[in-house]
Amino acid sequence: MTAYEIIQKKRDGRELSAGDIDHMVSGLLAGDVADYQMTAFLMAVFFRGMTAAETELLTRSMLASGLTIDTSSIDGAKVDKHSTGGVGDKLSLIVAPVAAAAGVSVPMISGRGLGHTGGTLDKLESIPGLSTAFGPEEFVALVGRVGMAIVGQSPDVVPADRRMYALRDVTATIECVPLIVGSILSKKLAAGLDALTLDVKVGRGAFMATRERGEELARALLATADRLELPAVAVLTDMDAPLGATVGNALEVVESIDVLRGGGPSDVRETSLELAAQMIDLGNAASDIEEARRAAARVLDSGDALEVFVRFVEAQGGDPRIVDDPSLLPRASITAPVISAETGSVTAIDSLEIGLAGVGLGAGRVRAGEAVDPAVGVVIETPVGASIGAGETLAVVHASSEETAARAVERVLKAFTIGGEVPPDGTRVLEIITQKQVSGRS
Amino acid sequence: MTAYEIIQKKRDGRELSAGDIDHMVSGLLAGDVADYQMTAFLMAVFFRGMTAAETELLTRSMLASGLTIDTSSIDGAKVDKHSTGGVGDKLSLIVAPVAAAAGVSVPMISGRGLGHTGGTLDKLESIPGLSTAFGPEEFVALVGRVGMAIVGQSPDVVPADRRMYALRDVTATIECVPLIVGSILSKKLAAGLDALTLDVKVGRGAFMATRERGEELARALLATADRLELPAVAVLTDMDAPLGATVGNALEVVESIDVLRGGGPSDVRETSLELAAQMIDLGNAASDIEEARRAAARVLDSGDALEVFVRFVEAQGGDPRIVDDPSLLPRASITAPVISAETGSVTAIDSLEIGLAGVGLGAGRVRAGEAVDPAVGVVIETPVGASIGAGETLAVVHASSEETAARAVERVLKAFTIGGEVPPDGTRVLEIITQKQVSGRS
């Protein structure tokens, strides 16, 4: 089969063989398949989809394109959490130390922010001295010593994803379930995990705008992980409004520490504990999910999780004093309040708009590779459900210039909906989907 | 709009604007749109199709990418015939002189064979000395002097089609009606035509295998030509069996001359006369289509068309003596008969298989740019409907080596179906579709 014939086969809706898929993936790296053939293929996949078998084969081919990290020297279960990305999503900074404090090893490979969604590596690098650039061996050693590590992707791991993602990014083929599944799971399998908790976000600020689409992605991820013998669970979480009160790198680190101290916004605490509990359960560090939930709350409230966090910061070269003295973190030179013109209740905060306001301030990037400003961002003072009077403060913008501040104030104001009716108290955790439910196995 | 947004728009089934389409077409040539973006776009068009307005805009953008030939110095109506390609399709060699002899100017730009389908330029170049490489000005002068010319595409005319076709050819996006329409009509409009007769072939040896698909293409061609104010008519012709008795370049020239002398296979004569009559009618060189049909038959039977052919060969540098002495054309060193093992009637001859046998002999090419052997090919001795006895000759293979001859004999034999029932006498002309029928105008 040539690339032409494989494209044609997918175009016509026929099922691809292992050899077909491998020819496209390894051929792209070897130069036998041209970029312009790969993008036609990816668009055909967008329209035709992939069967469960094809998605598994795609993931396997992508995984085989690079190195797999050997985590066998780490004691106990290695469990990671992956989020599909959101606004104000600082959960990794809390979930990883909570799970590690409860006895699970967390080898977490994270990414950077792009567009309105933030990235864990950007947030962490706002901590003075902290590095996320470690090779596979150092990474494994860090997890063994601290119980967790959060690092960037090594270029030797799943190079096919790097090439394919760059092409998808410029050809409108990102939003395609089998391609998303292949991209996420190949990288997670390459990290030598025993199990994986998936945080699939749905809503305005998420990649999947509707719950239906989020469920579709979650089920495809779980089914493919099952075929690849990777135990996994998916938590569908609401991303209509920003998570917690802060959007911006250093601002989110401060909020994470607040939660690790037992305070902080309740939605961040609640969602972090559920995700950590699922990791603890998957890693068999508790007898069942209820015991895992209790263990997660216990290590958070006891300060054990905060202690792991301090050790993690120190191990990766960061200044651990930031935990007690947040003023050591970068701070914006300008703060500007966002003032309500109306009286009523906050009924919605558009997380997409808040995320884009953050990008405008320099907290995020439009293109991969751009630098971010660790200090800037948005702090929400009046969350969804709270009442507000005309002239009172909805949010505070942290900026590096009067000009970017003014633009962000305007955009953040528009993101708020003030109404008469207070929406019912919602939980962020919409649904938990297990692999058993998806695979139909008992 | 960026290329990304335009791909996304088409992917999601929204209608593209003139600016969108022009950005893709002119951006490809300017380097603002990458090949890998164009191929993703083309695959999205394959799945989503194009509206009549989009197809018109695509054709206009492609046309605007290069030069338009100024044919205003040529007297009378300039009318061309375009075929979607077939096996044994030597009709241009007959249709053009017949139409020219009846008073229509025929500025014909033709192509070369690829795969199982032959090309008019290859056939003509089997005539010693004949050239098809003339610049636009020489081309116009030839048509003005002789009444017809048949030349190759100049690289300055529709360069966008050259680039897009090369990409479609390796990404399985050839078989897409709006892209075919844009490719054909942009080139025909660039040739400065007043009207166009389309020969849309359907069947085994055609690009469109079914009559339904052929009608779809014909209607899209006519509707788009109408929007571009190019009068046109489509003739759907049967391409299940090879056209006439010969497949191969010099062999087809000889057969064409036979028809121009008033002889030759009846299907070639009948189809040529209908296509020429449609050109004469479109060019207003007759009062109506019936009169045009009579005029076509008259100039063929009077020898006027043959006389135009002789002048055309001479004007393009070819040796006109081939008309009276076919032995001056290249001849194959080896001839091998294809012998029937059965007794019965020939019920079908698979034109795709005959075309591929021709490619195997060297009469056609697998890849663009390859040389062809003018002498080789296949001559069918027993056409569809004729009876055959075991041990009698079905066809004769003309080859350059014993090895290729043996392979071709085997392949040609398999192309014949011998049965008991003789199929009803069929006409090649299946249907004539007018622009009026398609546009709904009166």
Side-chain angles (χ1 to χ4, degrees):
Chain A
M1 280 274 184
T2 62
Y4 178 91
E5 291 167 305
I6 297 163
I7 298 168
Q8 191 178 40
K9 199 170 169 182
K10 175 47 70 183
R11 186 198 76 182
D12 295 343
R14 283 173 289 145
E15 189 167 22
L16 302 179
S17 69
D20 295 337
I21 291 173
D22 207 55
H23 182 86
M24 293 306 293
V25 173
S26 62
L28 180 70
L29 293 175
D32 300 329
V33 173
D35 285 351
Y36 50 77
Q37 293 182 304
M38 179 51 87
T39 55
F41 175 76
L42 294 169
M43 187 59 85
V45 171
F46 180 91
F47 280 98
R48 290 293 190 180
M50 276 188 158
T51 64
E54 286 176 318
T55 310
E56 175 196 344
L57 292 167
L58 174 69
T59 310
R60 284 191 194 279
S61 281
M62 292 174 73
L63 174 62
S65 72
L67 291 182
T68 296
I69 298 172
D70 179 4
T71 55
S72 61
S73 65
I74 303 169
D75 289 338
K78 279 76 70 176
V79 186
D80 193 3
K81 181 224 56 157
H82 179 85
S83 162
T84 58
V87 177
D89 179 7
K90 67 279 293 173
L91 300 181
S92 291
L93 277 64
I94 303 152
V95 168
V98 168
V104 172
S105 292
V106 185
M108 187 176 276
I109 296 182
S110 279
R112 297 194 178 276
L114 190 61
H116 68 280
T117 60
T120 298
L121 300 185
D122 297 323
K123 301 181 213 283
L124 286 174
E125 288 174 1
S126 71
I127 299 171
L130 191 139
S131 169
T132 59
F134 293 93
E137 285 172 29
E138 294 170 299
F139 173 54
V140 168
L142 280 168
V143 177
R145 208 166 74 234
V146 182
M148 66 168 283
I150 304 180
V151 303
Q153 185 84 34
S154 151
D156 304 329
V157 174
V158 199
D161 181 62
R162 202 171 298 261
R163 285 286 301 280
M164 288 167 70
Y165 198 92
L167 290 173
R168 288 167 59 201
D169 199 31
V170 291
T171 55
T173 45
I174 294 284
E175 306 93 325
C176 172
V177 165
L179 299 179
I180 298 169
V181 170
S183 176
I184 292 174
L185 292 185
S186 62
K187 287 182 288 190
K188 291 299 162 189
L189 286 163
L193 296 181
D194 294 317
L196 177 64
T197 296
L198 293 152
D199 177 11
V200 178
K201 300 206 175 286
V202 294
R204 276 293 290 164
F207 198 57
M208 294 291 168
T210 64
R211 181 148 172 188
E212 197 176 27
R213 289 279 291 154
E215 280 182 8
E216 185 195 344
L217 176 58
R219 287 175 177 275
L221 281 163
L222 292 176
T224 308
D226 188 51
R227 296 177 78 103
L228 291 156
E229 291 173 21
L230 178 70
V233 69
V235 183
L236 244 67
T237 62
D238 171 24
M239 199 60 251
D240 267 342
L243 196 50
T246 60
V247 174
N249 299 296
L251 293 168
E252 294 190 46
V253 169
V254 175
E255 187 172 87
S256 301
I257 295 166
D258 287 347
V259 174
L260 284 167
R261 280 193 190 289
S266 61
D267 64 338
V268 178
R269 176 186 164 94
E270 175 208 21
T271 317
S272 297
L273 285 177
E274 183 60 38
L275 290 168
Q278 294 295 341
M279 291 170 75
I280 294 162
D281 184 43
L282 280 173
N284 296 318
S287 54
D288 58 30
I289 183 65
E290 283 311 322
E291 175 54 30
R293 286 182 179 123
R294 284 190 291 274
R298 196 166 52 237
V299 296
L300 183 68
D301 293 332
S302 69
D304 288 357
L306 182 64
E307 204 178 290
V308 172
F309 183 78
V310 171
R311 279 194 284 135
F312 147 73
V313 169
E314 203 162 18
Q316 294 197 194
D319 185 346
R321 293 174 305 159
I322 55 116
V323 172
D324 295 313
D325 184 2
S327 73
L328 294 171
L329 288 166
R331 296 180 90 152
S333 53
I334 293 165
T335 56
V338 179
I339 305 295
S340 179
E342 299 162 78
T343 296
S345 293
V346 174
T347 54
I349 307 174
D350 184 332
S351 59
L352 175 58
E353 286 301 308
I354 299 285
L356 292 172
V359 174
L361 288 164
R365 54 176 71 80
V366 175
R367 243 174 279 273
E370 289 175 349
V372 299
D373 184 340
V376 299
V378 180
V379 178
I380 293 162
E381 301 272 326
T382 315
V384 173
S387 55
I388 183 87
E392 291 178 353
T393 303
L394 289 165
V396 176
V397 162
H398 292 237
S400 61
S401 78
E402 295 289 354
E403 201 191 317
T404 55
R407 277 206 301 266
V409 164
E410 203 178 325
R411 188 151 207 171
V412 170
L413 182 60
K414 283 190 191 146
F416 278 80
T417 307
I418 316 284
E421 297 237 343
V422 180
D425 244 21
T427 170
R428 291 276 180 182
V429 178
L430 301 174
E431 187 179 356
I432 295 161
I433 310 177
T434 66
Q435 222 157 15
K436 216 186 280 181
Q437 286 171 264
V438 169
S439 69
R441 292 185 314 181
S442 59
Chain B
M1 278 274 182
T2 61
Y4 177 92
E5 290 167 305
I6 297 163
I7 298 168
Q8 192 177 41
K9 200 170 168 183
K10 176 46 70 184
R11 185 198 78 184
D12 295 344
R14 283 175 287 145
E15 189 167 24
L16 302 179
S17 70
D20 295 338
I21 291 171
D22 207 54
H23 183 86
M24 294 305 294
V25 173
S26 61
L28 179 69
L29 293 176
D32 300 329
V33 173
D35 285 352
Y36 50 77
Q37 293 182 304
M38 179 52 86
T39 55
F41 175 76
L42 294 170
M43 187 58 86
V45 171
F46 180 92
F47 280 98
R48 290 292 190 181
M50 276 189 159
T51 64
E54 286 177 316
T55 309
E56 176 197 343
L57 293 166
L58 174 69
T59 310
R60 284 190 193 280
S61 283
M62 291 173 74
L63 175 62
S65 74
L67 292 182
T68 296
I69 297 172
D70 180 4
T71 55
S72 60
S73 65
I74 303 171
D75 288 338
K78 279 76 72 177
V79 186
D80 192 5
K81 181 226 57 158
H82 178 85
S83 161
T84 59
V87 178
D89 179 7
K90 68 278 294 173
L91 300 181
S92 291
L93 277 64
I94 303 152
V95 167
V98 167
V104 171
S105 292
V106 186
M108 189 177 274
I109 296 181
S110 279
R112 297 193 179 278
L114 190 62
H116 67 282
T117 60
T120 297
L121 301 185
D122 296 324
K123 300 182 214 284
L124 285 174
E125 289 174 1
S126 71
I127 299 173
L130 190 140
S131 169
T132 58
F134 293 92
E137 286 171 29
E138 293 169 299
F139 173 51
V140 169
L142 280 169
V143 177
R145 207 165 74 234
V146 182
M148 66 168 285
I150 304 179
V151 304
Q153 184 84 33
S154 150
D156 302 329
V157 173
V158 200
D161 181 63
R162 203 171 297 263
R163 285 287 301 280
M164 288 168 70
Y165 198 92
L167 290 172
R168 288 166 60 202
D169 198 32
V170 291
T171 57
T173 46
I174 293 283
E175 305 95 324
C176 172
V177 166
L179 300 178
I180 297 170
V181 170
S183 176
I184 292 175
L185 292 185
S186 63
K187 287 182 289 189
K188 291 299 161 189
L189 287 163
L193 295 182
D194 295 317
L196 178 64
T197 295
L198 293 152
D199 177 11
V200 178
K201 300 204 174 288
V202 295
R204 277 292 289 166
F207 198 58
M208 295 292 169
T210 65
R211 181 147 171 188
E212 197 176 28
R213 289 280 291 153
E215 280 181 8
E216 186 196 343
L217 175 58
R219 286 173 177 276
L221 282 163
L222 292 176
T224 307
D226 189 50
R227 296 178 76 105
L228 291 156
E229 292 173 18
L230 178 69
V233 69
V235 182
L236 244 67
T237 61
D238 170 24
M239 198 61 252
D240 267 342
L243 196 50
T246 59
V247 173
N249 299 296
L251 293 168
E252 294 190 46
V253 169
V254 175
E255 186 172 270
S256 302
I257 295 168
D258 287 348
V259 174
L260 284 167
R261 283 194 188 286
S266 61
D267 63 339
V268 177
R269 177 185 164 94
E270 174 209 20
T271 316
S272 297
L273 285 177
E274 183 58 40
L275 291 167
Q278 294 294 341
M279 291 170 75
I280 294 163
D281 184 42
L282 281 173
N284 296 315
S287 54
D288 59 27
I289 182 66
E290 284 312 324
E291 175 54 31
R293 286 183 181 124
R294 281 190 292 273
R298 197 165 51 235
V299 297
L300 184 67
D301 293 333
S302 69
D304 289 356
L306 180 65
E307 203 178 292
V308 172
F309 182 78
V310 171
R311 279 193 284 133
F312 147 74
V313 169
E314 202 163 19
Q316 294 196 194
D319 184 346
R321 293 175 304 161
I322 56 119
V323 171
D324 294 312
D325 183 2
S327 73
L328 295 170
L329 289 166
R331 296 180 88 151
S333 53
I334 293 165
T335 56
V338 180
I339 305 294
S340 179
E342 299 161 78
T343 296
S345 294
V346 175
T347 54
I349 307 174
D350 184 332
S351 60
L352 175 60
E353 285 301 310
I354 299 287
L356 292 172
V359 173
L361 288 164
R365 54 176 70 79
V366 175
R367 242 173 280 274
E370 289 175 350
V372 299
D373 183 339
V376 299
V378 179
V379 178
I380 292 162
E381 302 272 329
T382 314
V384 173
S387 56
I388 183 89
E392 292 177 351
T393 302
L394 289 166
V396 177
V397 162
H398 292 237
S400 61
S401 77
E402 296 289 355
E403 200 190 320
T404 56
R407 277 206 301 266
V409 164
E410 203 179 325
R411 190 152 204 169
V412 170
L413 182 61
K414 283 191 191 146
F416 278 81
T417 307
I418 316 283
E421 298 237 342
V422 181
D425 244 19
T427 171
R428 290 274 180 184
V429 178
L430 302 174
E431 187 179 356
I432 295 162
I433 309 177
T434 66
Q435 222 158 14
K436 217 184 280 183
Q437 284 171 268
V438 169
S439 68
R441 292 184 314 178
S442 59

